[in-house]
Amino acid sequence: VVNKELDVLIIGGGLIGALLKILLSSLGFEVYLVEAKSLLTPRRTDFDARSLALSPASVTVLQMLGCWSSLKEDTCAIETIHVSEKERFGRACLRGTAEAPLGYVIDMNRLQTALYQRLDTQRLLSPAELVEYNAETRMATIRHQGVLHGLKTKCLVAADGANSLVRAACGLAAESKEYEQQALVATIGLSRTHQHVAYERFTPHGPLALLPMTGLRASLVWTLPPEQAEARINDGDEAFLKLLQREFGYRLGRFVRVGPRVVFPLRQVVMPQQVHGSVVFIGNAAHTLHPVAGQGFNLGVRDVAMLAQCLAEGGLTDVALKRYADNRHSDQRAMIHFTNGLVELFRCPIPGLATLRGMGLMVLDNSAFLKKVLSHYARGYSGVVADLVCGLPLRSEHASR
Ligand SMILES: Cc1cc2nc3c(=O)[nH]c(=O)nc-3n(C[C@H](O)[C@H](O)[C@H](O)COP(=O)(O)OP(=O)(O)OC[C@H]3O[C@@H](n4cnc5c(N)ncnc54)[C@H](O)[C@@H]3O)c2cc1C
């Protein structure tokens, strides 16, 4: 495709790879993006399955990129997060306000479409895939339209998800943990308004989240053992809604409709070393989390903001990548431990722990300080905070264009 050495080659055009391409291109870097799937798949319906809870930090990054104003009307603000455990006492509520919500829920398809529309198609190879990468020569072999191309790059960003091929090509390790649970995801039709409350309900089978969406809709993420998830996929709509209602209760009124149901196997994948010479891993390739806290994408957005800042300030150097890794360490660690800790705490069968959990929720509910700390993390401000996340623009003296 090109004979010269590229500035940046991104492998993987999921949300995180696409976001990084938009940001680095806006700073003047010459960026190529390689994505295995076609990025031109049409939008689906408003009862599509996947939604994302965006933290205020992610929203600020989208605002700085000029993407937010067109998206905002299709999002629903989360003003309260309600946490409870089925058949147990104790509950906790985190409260934001209409002016300063705790986050926003968006249809993943809507966000994807908005980002893909912003991509400059000249430097986009899709559908195309990385076949091989040689870290010593910095040469990537890409298959595009049935032809193999060699691309040499100053910096390679792996945004190629949990099963990263770049990781394998570099001979790097990832710590992987199977949760032996699946997330069943669907849009649920409600009989009354949700009042902008997001519910997280822990059940003996796993957490069940219902996030407020625009209109009379909520986004369900129901964690279940694989055989139960399969059974719920095969249930008729009425039977499914009845079971869901029994599991969740009537805090959101009656459930009246369910959209297509999709399941995702759940595991945690974490790379202890995310920079290898001129290669850097971001998003799910670096850290795939359980969706219980809705933080995977948000964490990836903060990777993107910090990586762009380090490259803008330090150029396409190994030193800039090392600084990136150092700066991202504590935020990533905090989120990985928080997310995994939450899953383990609520599924641990030790006698007496359920009572302690109930008391813990009551303590949290009555402690303004603990709520403030938790809200701070949930909003996406932990560790070294990137300029973009604070609403400060980036400028680069190192870009080649
Ligand atoms: C049920 C569920 C609910 C969730 N809810 C939330 C939420 O509310 N909030 C939140 O912040 N996060 C949430 N997440 C997490 C979030 O969806 C992910 O963290 C995010 O989508 C990861 O994006 P990514 O671009 O890093 O990776 P991916 O989406 O995995 O993208 C990787 C891309 O790389 C491409 N690729 C792979 N190999 C190659 C190759 N060799 N060559 C070329 N391309 C390649 C793939 O086609 C893919 O498009 C949820 C996850 C699940 C499963």
Side-chain angles (χ1 to χ4, degrees):
V1 187
V2 275
N3 297 319
K4 62 183 172 118
E5 190 175 37
L6 314 175
D7 278 353
V8 180
L9 177 61
I10 304 172
I11 306 298
L15 291 172
I16 294 302
L19 198 60
L20 183 71
K21 172 155 163 69
I22 295 167
L23 182 49
L24 289 182
S25 300
S26 76
L27 291 169
F29 289 103
E30 185 192 41
V31 187
Y32 278 73
L33 177 65
V34 175
E35 166 53 42
K37 292 185 229 125
S38 168
L39 295 184
L40 301 170
T41 26
R43 280 204 62 194
R44 287 166 283 169
T45 69
D46 63 351
F47 257 74
D48 194 3
R50 284 286 291 276
S51 291
L52 285 176
L54 302 177
S55 68
S58 299
V59 169
T60 306
V61 173
L62 291 172
Q63 267 167 349
M64 297 301 288
L65 284 174
C67 299
W68 182 243
S69 52
S70 65
L71 289 174
K72 188 166 188 247
E73 66 181 37
D74 295 328
T75 66
C76 181
I78 301 174
E79 292 174 18
T80 304
I81 299 176
H82 182 286
V83 185
S84 62
E85 186 172 4
K86 192 183 174 213
E87 291 160 9
R88 303 278 173 193
F89 74 98
R91 58 153 187 81
C93 280
L94 290 182
R95 289 185 209 282
T97 60
E99 296 71 40
L102 297 165
Y104 293 85
V105 181
I106 188 165
D107 176 339
M108 189 163 166
N109 229 359
R110 174 75 183 87
L111 178 60
Q112 227 156 19
T113 307
L115 294 183
Y116 292 164
Q117 279 168 351
R118 289 281 306 273
L119 291 174
D120 104 56
T121 48
Q122 277 179 0
R123 296 183 177 84
L124 177 64
L125 305 179
S126 151
E129 56 182 353
L130 176 82
V131 180
E132 210 179 289
Y133 178 68
N134 185 323
E136 262 169 45
T137 57
R138 286 189 269 121
M139 197 66 146
T141 308
I142 310 293
R143 186 183 294 115
H144 182 45
Q145 295 174 341
V147 181
L148 293 179
H149 302 270
L151 295 183
K152 192 168 171 142
T153 180
K154 292 176 195 155
C155 174
L156 185 115
V157 182
D160 53 348
N163 299 319
S164 172
L165 186 69
V166 181
R167 186 194 302 140
C170 293
L172 294 175
E175 291 156 6
S176 182
K177 170 178 174 170
E178 299 294 332
Y179 285 109
E180 280 148 28
Q181 291 178 333
Q182 295 192 343
L184 185 152
V185 175
T187 301
I188 304 295
L190 307 174
S191 57
R192 67 163 174 77
T193 165
H194 46 58
Q195 297 179 313
H196 298 274
V197 182
Y199 290 92
E200 184 82 64
R201 188 156 174 77
F202 290 89
T203 78
H205 307 304
L208 187 165
L210 275 159
L211 306 175
M213 297 177 77
T214 51
L216 290 176
R217 299 181 305 153
S219 172
L220 169 72
V221 182
W222 190 358
T223 310
L224 292 161
E227 61 288 354
Q228 286 193 33
E230 202 187 319
R232 296 295 75 79
I233 286 279
N234 294 324
D235 283 338
D237 287 4
E238 221 172 286
F240 177 85
L241 289 173
K242 213 167 148 185
L243 271 171
L244 177 65
Q245 194 89 61
R246 205 167 69 197
E247 207 64 9
F248 180 77
Y250 283 85
R251 282 199 171 96
L252 270 171
R254 224 161 34 79
F255 300 138
V256 292
R257 187 178 165 191
V258 55
R261 283 159 259 166
V262 183
V263 290
F264 297 86
L266 298 181
R267 64 186 167 130
Q268 177 180 276
V269 181
V270 177
M271 287 184 71
Q273 183 194 340
Q274 297 175 9
V275 169
H276 176 71
S278 59
V279 182
V280 55
F281 296 80
I282 62 170
N284 268 25
H287 42 70
T288 302
L289 306 184
H290 191 292
V292 62
Q295 289 298 332
F297 172 70
N298 292 311
L299 199 58
V301 171
R302 305 203 288 277
D303 292 347
V304 168
M306 183 57 80
L307 181 57
Q309 181 172 340
C310 290
L311 296 182
E313 290 172 357
L316 299 164
T317 60
D318 294 2
V319 176
L321 294 186
K322 162 93 177 46
R323 189 173 153 237
Y324 163 80
D326 291 345
N327 284 352
R328 289 300 298 137
H329 185 75
S330 96
D331 181 23
Q332 289 185 3
R333 283 284 126 195
M335 277 306 153
I336 292 162
H337 289 313
F338 174 70
T339 300
N340 183 52
L342 207 57
V343 179
E344 296 303 345
L345 175 69
F346 279 92
R347 73 173 178 180
C348 183
I350 294 175
L353 194 64
T355 314
L356 285 178
R357 287 194 298 255
M359 282 160 64
L361 285 177
M362 272 164 42
V363 169
L364 173 64
D365 204 40
N366 288 298
S367 164
F369 173 73
L370 282 180
K371 282 186 179 179
K372 207 169 159 188
V373 173
L374 208 59
S375 297
H376 186 72
Y377 279 96
R379 285 175 193 270
Y381 302 101
S382 93
V384 182
V385 182
D387 284 359
L388 266 190
V389 172
C390 301
L392 301 170
L394 293 181
R395 251 169 228 99
S396 176
E397 278 122 45
H398 295 277
S400 65
R401 286 192 291 134

